[in-house]
Amino acid sequence: MKKGKRHFFTTFLFSTMILSISAQKTPLIADGAEITLVASDYKFTEGPAVDKEGNVFFTDQPNDRIIKWSVVDGSVSVFMEPSGRANGLYFDRQGNLVACADEKFQLWRIDPKKNVTVLVDGFEGKNLNGPNDLWIDLKGGTYFTDPFYKRDYWERTEKDIQNERVYYLTPDMDKIKIVANDFERPNGIVGSPDGKILYVSDIGAKKTYSYSISEDGYLTNKQLFADMGSDGMTLDNQGNVYLTGNGVTVFNSMGEQIQHIPIDQKWTANVTFGGKDQKTLFITAMNSLYTLQMNVHGVTHLN
């Protein structure tokens, strides 16, 4: 075979192989899966978080309660009421539920017996704007967003802290650091399972950014990830990032949109993976909780 033909043939085989691999790539959503309404007895659902067993906890924020979806039988029940008007939730490695207690501008740790420890109660002598969403890293440190959403149940009407930031509570729970300060309104937040990348949504600017996480918890190398804000977000085992708002929009690790999951609601607030194998996508949207069976699965520090 002549060199030119050999080169063409080799290129053809390589291209065909790449196309074949691409065509065989497993779809994100399980074959035949449809959006399932789990429950719709709420005012506004938020903050889904999964524990080690696969149970999913979420908030009915205006009604001041945390709801539990059971991995055993798929039932939903009230876990805690009142709940500090909890918004975002996340489990630590000790099995405690860490909550953004919006009513008190605090960060709470709720143990399995529902005992509450206040982890964060202000910054430099001032009330926080209102912790909204959080992510716990491999060391046990907590990143949380602090936007200002004026609530009718607050006595105050103005900010104590003008900047809407991302903070980091150190693993020893001893220090709070400002790690990002240049947002219009930060909201959704999630980190990669290796603890190297943090994704933060600036919902006010309709952007989502990625950061490199330094050894000391500080953030560097801010990069635009997607021209879309997000109320809440999660990751799957392929590194795809799930953003919310208009349904659920999925981006690969390069920031390219690869999927849109429509939800028949005006607003999708948050999303996480749960269930025994973490292959069920849980979606909080307005007054409801939905699920969708997936081929991919979630990744947390609990895995």
Side-chain angles (χ1 to χ4, degrees):
M1 185 183 293
K2 292 183 179 179
K3 184 177 179 180
K5 290 185 177 180
R6 185 185 297 115
H7 175 74
F8 172 82
F9 184 68
T10 302
T11 302
F12 174 78
L13 283 179
F14 180 77
S15 301
T16 303
M17 182 174 65
I18 293 297
L19 288 171
S20 177
I21 291 171
S22 178
Q24 293 173 11
K25 186 177 179 180
T26 305
L28 297 181
I29 301 171
D31 186 37
E34 296 182 354
I35 295 289
T36 300
L37 175 64
V38 176
S40 58
D41 303 325
Y42 314 112
K43 192 168 182 180
F44 190 83
T45 55
E46 248 286 12
V50 61
D51 67 11
K52 289 182 180 179
E53 287 73 41
N55 301 297
V56 172
F57 294 68
F58 62 98
T59 60
D60 183 9
Q61 204 266 349
N63 286 327
D64 197 13
R65 56 185 180 172
I66 297 173
I67 312 295
K68 176 185 177 181
W69 173 89
S70 173
V71 71
V72 176
D73 58 7
S75 63
V76 290
S77 59
V78 175
F79 168 73
M80 185 175 179
E81 184 180 18
S83 65
R85 304 269 186 176
N87 200 324
L89 306 173
Y90 207 87
F91 275 92
D92 66 20
R93 286 191 171 186
Q94 290 71 47
N96 302 304
L97 185 60
V98 182
C100 292
D102 181 88
E103 182 179 31
K104 307 293 185 181
F105 331 118
Q106 297 171 337
L107 209 62
W108 286 7
R109 181 174 64 209
I110 305 167
D111 72 16
K113 294 183 179 180
K114 304 173 192 176
N115 297 309
V116 173
T117 301
V118 177
L119 300 179
V120 177
D121 185 20
F123 180 73
E124 296 181 343
K126 297 181 180 180
N127 285 326
L128 292 164
N129 289 315
N132 185 278
D133 206 354
L134 73 156
W135 177 73
I136 299 175
D137 66 16
L138 297 171
K139 300 174 183 177
T142 304
Y143 291 90
F144 65 94
T145 56
D146 186 44
F148 184 79
Y149 291 99
K150 187 177 177 181
R151 309 296 193 187
D152 57 11
Y153 47 79
W154 287 349
E155 291 184 4
R156 69 172 184 176
T157 57
E158 302 294 334
K159 296 179 178 180
D160 288 359
I161 299 172
Q162 289 305 306
N163 289 343
E164 302 185 22
R165 301 163 169 158
V166 176
Y167 294 93
Y168 180 66
L169 175 64
T170 55
D172 59 10
M173 310 294 170
D174 188 54
K175 184 178 181 181
I176 305 170
K177 305 175 180 180
I178 300 170
V179 292
N181 204 29
D182 53 347
F183 293 99
E184 290 186 30
R185 179 158 292 170
N187 201 308
I189 188 169
V190 71
S192 61
D194 61 6
K196 294 181 179 180
I197 300 173
L198 187 71
Y199 298 93
V200 183
S201 164
D202 187 344
I203 199 168
K206 299 180 180 179
K207 308 286 184 184
T208 296
Y209 297 95
S210 67
Y211 294 84
S212 298
I213 301 176
S214 300
E215 195 65 29
D216 57 6
Y218 284 103
L219 304 179
T220 62
N221 192 32
K222 179 181 180 181
Q223 300 286 333
L224 177 65
F225 177 73
D227 272 312
M228 174 182 169
S230 186
D231 200 347
M233 61 180 79
T234 195
L235 286 163
D236 68 24
N237 63 301
Q238 294 183 358
N240 301 312
V241 182
Y242 295 63
L243 304 184
T244 60
N246 174 20
V248 179
T249 306
V250 188
F251 295 82
N252 64 20
S253 59
M254 302 298 292
E256 301 163 337
Q257 183 178 332
I258 58 173
Q259 186 88 49
H260 181 258
I261 302 168
I263 303 295
D264 189 21
Q265 292 281 3
K266 291 181 180 179
W267 186 255
T268 298
N270 216 323
V271 63
T272 196
F273 285 87
K276 189 175 181 180
D277 55 6
Q278 282 203 48
K279 293 182 76 172
T280 303
L281 191 66
F282 286 78
I283 304 162
T284 55
M286 301 303 291
N287 66 337
S288 301
L289 175 71
Y290 298 88
T291 57
L292 179 63
Q293 298 305 308
M294 308 291 285
N295 286 318
V296 291
H297 61 79
V299 286
T300 73
H301 64 304
L302 304 177
N303 293 346

